[in-house]
Amino acid sequence: MIERYTNPEMGAVWTEENRYRTWLAVEIAVCEAWNKLGKIPASSLRTIKAKAAFDIKRIDEIERVVKHDIIAFLTAVNEKVGPDGRYIHLGLTSYDVVDTALSLLVRRSLLQVRARLLTLKKVLRKEALKHKKTVCMGRTHGVHAEPVTFGFKVLVWYEEIKRHLDRIDRAVEVMSVGRISGAVGTYIHLDPRVEVLALKKLGLKPAPVSTQVLQRDRHAEAIGALALIAASLEKFTVEIRHLQRSEVLELEEPFTKGQKGSSSMPHKKNPVRCERMAGLARLVRANVQTALENIPLWHERDISHSSAERIIFPDSFILTDFMLAEAIDIISHWVVRKDRMKANINATRGLTFSQSVLLALTRKGLTREEAYALVQRNSLKTWEENLDFKALVLADPRIRERLSPAEIETCFSLDPYLEKIDYIFKRVLSRES
């Protein structure tokens, strides 16, 4: 299903062809380094760069026999290069190539995720400002609490995306390393300068120390960053799904021309895209467990991580990229129903202003316990007898002893709920770099 929707650029990173192409780029960078150090003749390097290529079918044929992907790859490449192929993979072990190439693939994918996040951040900023003063009901435990604004809700998401950008930047830094240090990381058949030169050519830095592999806490951090993004996107879509419920109907995900919501009920407009994203987020989060399990390898290296990484990296990146694209489209085209937001504020017949009445009474000399008892008594009566809370407050003699009708009326105004919104927006947006 995802393949029909995903960004072709992200999918292209994780194709078998691109993996081999990246392996070859690492091998050639090492050859260039050896050439600079006088170990590979210039004529041989020219031949290698001109002829080095691969055929996936041929690699597969060889691997079925040798049962080793790097050997199969090198054999296929050397068949095309000829005698000068003896200089390819000079002093290297498989994971000098595989891990360095994986870092390049992960970093490229992280940067694509970062670009998506920047777009989503821009969309959220626009929607937050657009609805900065669009009053709606705030809810805690799913129950009406006090009014907020819809823009305030979106601003919370906006700030969250900024934190994700920081995490992605950190993951890019952590994954911008390679290793070309030999079988167990001690350069026994390599000149350390080869690593420096080759990795500089590839745009990476040498890991300060490694075994036969880069340590997998790096990779787990990258997958963790994706999982946190997925969790936030699920959080956003859960809010949309709740607000699209028929009883609420303050917000709807886009429903396009010709779309149908149910095979049996023509009236249905279901938040199917948001629900789908909630399901996909579970897959990305689940991959964190695998990434963490990949950290404790035996001694200088085993391959228990390898098979799992061939699944969790492409899946996590492609799913996260898809989810970000969906979030951008949904939020850019959602339907915000201001009339329903206003109606829902009024649905509890004034109960949302109970704290305002409570505080007004304490300012008039009542203890908090006394004021709470008076307000709660009228609140429960409003619930149980389907009455108007403000009318009950105005009719309560003990409250009227303390508050005038004008003071009570002030308690039921929405204006105070907007007074600090500009302050909050300024605090968030002023921190933009």
Side-chain angles (χ1 to χ4, degrees), residues 254-271:
F255 194 82
T256 57
K257 184 178 181 180
Q259 184 175 344
K260 293 178 172 61
S262 168
S263 63
S264 59
M265 295 170 282
H267 72 278
K268 295 279 278 179
K269 291 201 296 182
N270 301 324

Side-chain angles (χ1 to χ4, degrees), residues 120-321:
L120 179 56
K121 176 172 169 271
K122 182 178 179 181
V123 169
L124 290 171
R125 187 181 193 276
K126 178 182 177 182
E127 290 298 305
L129 288 169
K130 180 179 179 180
H131 295 287
K132 182 165 71 168
K133 297 298 177 69
T134 300
V135 183
C136 66
M137 180 50 63
R139 297 171 175 86
T140 56
H141 308 278
V143 177
H144 284 206
E146 291 191 326
V148 295
T149 74
F150 186 64
F152 170 81
K153 280 178 175 280
V154 179
L155 188 70
V156 172
W157 300 357
Y158 171 84
E159 180 71 10
E160 197 160 335
I161 292 300
K162 288 165 61 179
R163 293 194 294 276
H164 289 307
L165 282 164
D166 290 341
R167 294 185 187 104
I168 288 295
D169 287 343
R170 165 66 181 166
V172 169
E173 179 185 353
V174 165
M175 289 304 304
S176 290
V177 299
R179 61 165 307 279
I180 299 172
S181 51
V184 289
T186 58
Y187 304 97
I188 188 64
H189 302 295
L190 278 163
D191 186 325
R193 291 177 295 173
V194 169
E195 180 181 58
V196 174
L197 291 168
L199 293 182
K200 184 178 181 180
K201 173 78 173 181
L202 296 167
L204 300 174
K205 297 179 294 185
V209 62
S210 67
T211 58
Q212 195 178 89
V213 296
L214 291 172
Q215 302 310 290
R216 258 42 198 177
D217 62 288
R218 296 177 181 273
H219 304 72
E221 185 169 349
I223 294 289
L226 299 183
L228 286 167
I229 292 169
S232 287
L233 294 178
E234 181 179 6
K235 166 188 164 181
F236 302 167
T237 57
V238 165
E239 182 73 10
I240 296 169
R241 288 164 59 195
H242 171 75
L243 296 179
Q244 189 166 333
R245 291 171 59 202
S246 302
E247 312 90 282
V248 181
L249 204 59
E250 295 178 5
L251 186 64
E252 294 178 274
E253 72 171 41
F255 194 82
T256 57
K257 184 178 181 180
Q259 184 175 344
K260 293 178 172 61
S262 168
S263 63
S264 59
M265 295 170 282
H267 72 278
K268 295 279 278 179
K269 291 201 296 182
N270 301 324
V272 290
R273 294 171 70 183
C274 289
E275 290 172 337
R276 181 167 58 207
M277 287 172 65
L280 297 178
R282 297 167 192 169
L283 296 175
V284 180
R285 287 199 300 272
N287 286 342
V288 175
Q289 182 64 39
T290 302
L292 293 172
E293 296 289 345
N294 285 343
I295 294 174
L297 303 179
W298 284 22
H299 307 300
E300 277 60 59
R301 183 256 174 126
D302 65 54
I303 64 165
S304 59
H305 62 96
S306 177
S307 56
E309 286 179 351
R310 295 178 191 226
I311 298 170
I312 65 173
F313 275 107
D315 280 10
S316 296
F317 275 110
I318 290 171
L319 288 172
T320 302
D321 180 71

